[in-house]
Amino acid sequence: MVLVQWAKEHSKFTIPLAAAALIAAIYAVFDPIREFCVENKITHRFDLSRIPLLGNVRKAAMRSLLRREPAPQQDVSAWTGLADQSARLTSILDEPPESFVVVSGPRGSGKTRVVDQATANKKYRLVVDARKLAAEHSEVEQMTQLARQLGWWPVFNSIISITNAIDVMVTATTGSNAGISATPESQVRRILETLALVLANIRQDRLQAQARQHDKHHEFTIPVHTVEPADIPVIVLDNFLDKDIKFTPVILDWAASVVEAGLAHCIITTSNISGYHEVQRAQPQSPASLVSLNDASPIEAVTLLQQQLSLPTMPEQSPPPHVADAHSANDEY
């Protein structure tokens, strides 16, 4: 009773403390769960579809339900210059991360295909489709979509309203701002901080695994500071900067810090002509690597369409008779 009476008399202190304790309890309970979910999204450690038997059964069941045949394997060799750009991107990803990698080109120029082929052998790969973010109308919906793509779960959209209501209540009661209100931008920062923590944990785990592997084959121990290229995570920001997203500066600043810390490569695919310069402003001290793609020629487009439709390649057409006669006459002359 004494404590209750004291709390009532000193509400100026007890109400902010109680509100802060409530918010801290919520974060303490759910943050480890969210970290686990984000890590599983990257590593697929507990993804049942990755088990060969279950994965094949699932794919076969889906094809039988939809009555579709397996899609043909996409190859960049049919597109002049695309294979070279894919090889260049692969060589960039084989080095430690130093700056952004921007894959730029008009829509339909093969940006996604090049990135998929260059990152096919990467163990840790995470894709954020900015087109889906831009399709959402409100900031809260964009934040929820980002959390869904990163595997950040559970998501409580009501936490923003609750914290704002508590902040207003504390301000009305005590006359001072408690500073515990949340916004969609602050929640996006929390989501990205969780992802950065997971990337740091992955890097530390791989360094320890490499050190143990080294100790098995050598009598002396040396510190390992570089992760194998296949073990460096890759974050792909697909269709980024094509449309306006409220959190674009927040995501770019976060990605720059992750790249500078050597935690992951960051690939940005964009059809925005000025996209490279916007990315460069986020990391001015390190020039971004640019992989530029162009539209295919008509012949290359037909060849690519034939591959997609699994059609036989068109034979070379002989010239019309009057053209052939003209060529033969010139040869005789």
Side-chain angles (χ1 to χ4, degrees), residues 66-82:
L66 300 176
R67 296 182 179 180
R68 292 179 180 176
E69 295 297 327
Q73 294 293 329
Q74 295 182 343
D75 188 9
V76 299
S77 59
W79 203 315
T80 302
L82 215 59

Side-chain angles (χ1 to χ4, degrees), residues 18-333:
L22 176 61
I23 300 301
I26 293 175
Y27 288 147
V29 171
F30 292 107
D31 275 3
I33 299 176
R34 290 161 175 162
E35 183 180 341
F36 170 81
C37 293
V38 173
E39 182 176 358
N40 184 56
K41 181 74 173 181
I42 300 177
T43 62
H44 303 283
R45 190 170 299 167
F46 298 98
D47 189 356
L48 297 180
S49 63
R50 293 279 174 155
I51 300 177
L53 178 60
L54 295 179
N56 294 335
V57 171
R58 179 184 177 185
K59 292 178 181 178
M62 292 299 296
R63 284 200 299 267
S64 63
L65 290 175
L66 300 176
R67 296 182 179 180
R68 292 179 180 176
E69 295 297 327
Q73 294 293 329
Q74 295 182 343
D75 188 9
V76 299
S77 59
W79 203 315
T80 302
L82 215 59
D84 296 337
Q85 297 293 359
S86 179
R88 178 169 177 264
L89 180 57
T90 302
S91 65
I92 294 175
L93 299 180
D94 286 339
E95 300 294 333
E98 296 180 353
S99 61
F100 286 105
V101 181
V102 180
V103 181
S104 177
R107 295 185 62 180
S109 58
K111 299 185 294 295
T112 301
R113 188 177 293 110
V114 167
V115 172
D116 288 345
Q117 183 157 330
T119 60
N121 296 325
K122 297 297 181 179
K123 295 181 181 178
Y124 312 113
R125 178 176 179 268
L126 190 61
V127 179
V128 176
D129 190 351
R131 189 176 299 170
K132 294 182 179 180
L133 297 181
E136 303 294 344
H137 300 290
S138 66
E139 295 181 8
V140 174
E141 291 174 345
Q142 289 185 0
M143 180 268 295
T144 305
Q145 178 63 231
L146 178 63
R148 186 181 299 115
Q149 293 191 35
L150 297 181
W152 198 80
W153 181 89
V155 182
F156 301 118
N157 293 336
S158 58
I159 195 67
I160 298 176
S161 302
I162 293 174
T163 54
N164 291 340
I166 294 176
D167 206 357
V168 171
M169 187 190 313
V170 171
T171 303
T173 305
T174 64
S176 60
N177 191 351
I180 60 175
S181 60
T183 62
E185 181 175 334
S186 65
Q187 287 295 95
V188 167
R189 293 184 185 275
R190 288 189 61 84
I191 295 171
L192 297 177
E193 288 172 2
T194 303
L195 178 55
L197 179 61
V198 169
L199 294 175
N201 292 339
I202 291 176
R203 174 180 171 81
Q204 188 63 29
D205 291 342
R206 299 316 305 165
L207 289 176
Q208 293 176 357
Q210 290 177 204
R212 289 192 298 267
Q213 189 69 19
H214 179 272
D215 294 343
K216 289 181 181 179
H217 299 86
H218 300 83
E219 297 180 356
F220 56 91
T221 302
I222 59 173
V224 180
H225 301 289
T226 305
V227 179
E228 294 293 334
D231 294 334
I232 301 177
V234 177
I235 307 297
V236 181
L237 302 179
D238 200 16
N239 304 309
F240 204 64
L241 302 172
D242 292 352
K243 294 184 178 180
D244 184 36
I245 300 175
K246 173 66 176 178
F247 311 114
T248 295
V250 177
I251 296 175
L252 281 178
D253 291 341
W254 171 85
S257 64
V258 167
V259 172
E260 291 174 0
L263 300 180
H265 287 286
C266 183
I267 303 176
I268 296 177
T269 68
T270 180
S271 57
N272 187 350
I273 300 177
S274 62
Y276 177 83
H277 301 287
E278 294 187 35
V279 172
Q280 192 60 58
R281 283 195 292 268
Q283 195 183 21
Q285 68 279 8
S286 301
S289 300
L290 178 62
V291 178
S292 183
L293 305 179
N294 298 315
D295 280 327
S297 65
I299 297 178
E300 293 169 343
V302 171
T303 304
L304 188 63
L305 182 60
Q306 290 173 343
Q307 288 186 354
Q308 297 296 317
L309 299 177
S310 299
L311 297 177
T313 306
M314 294 178 59
E316 283 191 26
Q317 297 182 353
S318 57
H322 63 279
V323 177
D325 294 341
H327 281 299
S328 60
N330 290 334
D331 293 340
E332 292 177 358
Y333 178 75

